[in-house]
Amino acid sequence: MSDGFGGIASGDLDAVIARVAPALAELDRASIFLTGGTGFFGRWLLALLARARTTLPIDLTVTVLSRDPGGFLRASPDLAQLDCVRLIAGDVRSFAFPAGRFTHVIHAATDTSAAADRDPMTLIASITEGTRRVLDFATAAEVGRFLYVSSGAVYGRQPPDLAAIPDDHPGACDPLDPRSAYGQAKRLAEQMCAIVSARTATAAVIARAFAFVGPGLPLDGHFAIGNFIRDALDGRTIVVSGDGQPVRSYLYAADLAGWLTTLLVRGMPGTAYNVGSDQPISIADLAAAVAAEIPSSRGIAIRGLPSAGADRNRYVPSIAKARRDLGLDVWTPLDQAIRRTADAARRTG
């Protein structure tokens, strides 16, 4: 399978383009402002839009805000040097508003690193002040459509008797728990978007993102599936540090890019949609699935022991609304997603 853009396989991009072509067609002659364009989500969005320009009768431009345009140019020169992409330097909290016409904004900039979690006050400021700045820009530029990439963390801890979190779940983060800083800040940023959507001509839609896998996912961060794939590729034992009982679900990055594009143009203003897979899997079974798809692994080891009577931690969304209203779905099976992520990691070393 040949590469498309940014090291992402053209086959993946073409498959999702076929599924969301009508939504992509609505971006003909669009001028998009994208924050977070150099991250995992942003690179997939850029690759999808760039590929769509070569396979569909559409034209568009994307202005990407980056704290380090030079670094992005070095890492992904085929994306950064496209004639439809313009890089501008700046911090999301204080960037100078770019001149020109803009029709759409995708605000996907958020630091999800372990280092950010260790500095919750800075994390809160980055999320809330950055969102306020991007919303101010969208209002000043009279942008028609605005997509905010939020997080399922806004719901707080998923009740153990709730199999999947619906979009209208009233749960919330515990404000007295310092570990909830990310979710709390995302909740406040969502409210800012709702206010702007209600009071201006900018129609804001919220994407509550859960867990994902795909080429470009950091394999050395705090994402369990990334760490499992790394260990398997390195020929090591896949180690589960806990008891393996928590339950998660994973949407493939190509599907994610198609979902976000559809929400950008067709999501209902002032509304939040869960974005993810509704197919649950325990962390222990996830490790076994990775080992099965990557034969170089040396099996799995579960270090922790289950606690008697303890509630099983879950983080799984209901996607009934996105499926019903927008025709979105989990298109790529998890075993294929793992295999394609591993194949891409091998190609890039």
Side-chain angles (χ1 to χ4, degrees), residues 8-311:
I8 295 171
S10 59
D12 273 344
L13 299 174
D14 290 343
V16 73
I17 287 170
R19 292 185 175 109
V20 301
L24 287 165
E26 295 184 39
L27 291 173
D28 187 27
R29 293 179 290 180
S31 177
I32 302 169
F33 182 75
L34 172 63
T35 74
T38 61
F40 177 56
F41 284 24
R43 287 173 190 249
W44 270 93
L45 282 167
L46 276 177
L48 176 62
L49 295 172
R51 182 67 177 176
R53 288 180 75 245
T54 69
T55 60
L56 298 176
I58 65 171
D59 193 17
L60 54 82
T61 60
V62 186
T63 298
V64 180
L65 176 68
S66 173
R67 286 176 296 184
D68 183 15
F72 181 50
L73 178 62
R74 291 188 296 272
S76 300
D78 59 335
L79 278 175
Q81 295 178 333
L82 288 170
D83 60 2
C84 66
V85 173
R86 175 171 62 131
L87 296 176
I88 62 171
D91 186 284
V92 71
R93 294 173 291 180
S94 58
F95 67 93
F97 292 175
R101 163 188 168 270
F102 291 91
T103 58
H104 299 73
V105 167
I106 304 173
H107 179 29
T110 299
D111 191 347
T112 58
S113 67
D117 283 341
R118 291 192 292 269
D119 188 1
M121 296 296 282
T122 299
L123 179 62
I124 291 171
S126 175
I127 292 172
T128 56
E129 294 172 12
T131 302
R132 174 64 184 271
R133 184 68 178 170
V134 178
L135 285 168
D136 285 348
F137 163 69
T139 302
E142 299 181 336
V143 169
R145 299 284 299 186
F146 185 106
L147 179 66
Y148 177 55
V149 181
S150 184
S151 169
V154 301
Y155 296 115
R157 182 178 176 84
Q158 183 171 340
D161 59 345
L162 187 63
I165 304 175
D167 311 76
D168 58 356
H169 178 57
C173 311
D174 179 0
L176 301 183
D177 183 354
R179 294 170 299 179
S180 73
Y182 178 76
Q184 292 283 5
K186 285 290 191 180
R187 286 178 66 86
L188 184 54
E190 284 191 14
Q191 187 167 52
M192 293 178 184
C193 293
I195 291 169
V196 166
S197 190
R199 295 186 176 182
T200 74
T202 297
V205 180
I206 294 161
R208 289 178 177 157
F210 278 72
F212 307 92
V213 61
L217 181 77
L219 303 184
D220 58 353
H222 61 296
F223 305 106
I225 194 167
N227 294 339
F228 293 168
I229 291 172
R230 174 203 62 202
D231 291 345
L233 288 172
D234 287 347
R236 299 198 299 263
T237 300
I238 298 172
V239 176
V240 179
S241 57
D243 62 10
Q245 295 304 301
V247 176
R248 300 292 184 265
S249 62
Y250 295 89
L251 187 69
Y252 188 50
D255 298 356
L256 165 67
W259 278 54
L260 295 179
T261 303
T262 302
L263 289 176
L264 174 64
V265 300
R266 295 188 169 180
M268 182 177 295
T271 298
Y273 297 83
N274 287 340
V275 176
S277 168
D278 61 352
Q279 299 171 9
I281 186 170
S282 72
I283 294 297
D285 287 345
L286 176 67
V290 171
E293 293 301 323
I294 308 176
S296 57
S297 71
R298 302 186 63 179
I300 67 174
I302 299 177
R303 302 299 192 200
L305 296 175
S307 300
D311 291 331

